[in-house]
Amino acid sequence: MSSRVHSIHLAPGRRLPTKPVPSVAAEAGAGLVGDRYHGSRHRHVTVQALDDLTAAAEVLGRPVDPGLTRRNITLTTGPIPTRPGERMRIADVELEVVRIAAPCRLLDDWLGPGAMQALRSPRGGTVFRLLSSGTISVGDDVVLGEGSG
């Protein structure tokens, strides 16, 4: 089953709510234009999958809105690569795994008590660095494992 980009969320600053966008410019070595982590050394984009949010919702006992998880890109389905160095491609943009994303302390504030625990690994998503530039849009195809070795 192939995966696609379900949604894209950007936060203009720390502790500010994320905003949904239909597409975003991705800059190699810098991140997503307009996001709080743009210009950071390695934390360029965070990616999660809807099926992981469904599993977290079962633990939490209520739905998990992708925009409230503070992750940038939500895919229609996983699995998402998690081992450092693994790669995936969204549209023309190549991403490389940096690490598994740790749940944000703000999750309990945004989603309610227990959210941080419900979104612990393996449901919390992955942090990637951008190896190439391009535009990522809702509906784009995702190719796993490309370029990894």
Side-chain angles (χ1 to χ4, degrees), residues 29-30 37 39-45 96-98 127-130:
Y37 290 112
S40 66
R41 187 167 174 204
H42 297 294
R43 187 187 175 106
H44 297 159
V45 60
E96 182 180 64
V97 173
V98 174
V127 176
F128 290 86
R129 73 173 50 95
L130 297 176

Side-chain angles (χ1 to χ4, degrees), residues 3 75 78-83 85-90 93-97 128 131 141-149:
S3 188
L75 306 181
I80 296 170
T82 57
R83 288 194 334 259
E86 287 184 317
R87 295 182 183 180
M88 74 176 180
R89 182 174 292 277
I90 302 174
V93 180
E94 189 169 6
L95 300 88
E96 182 180 64
V97 173
F128 290 86
L131 300 179
D141 288 325
V142 176
V143 179
L144 299 178
E146 208 166 273
S148 56

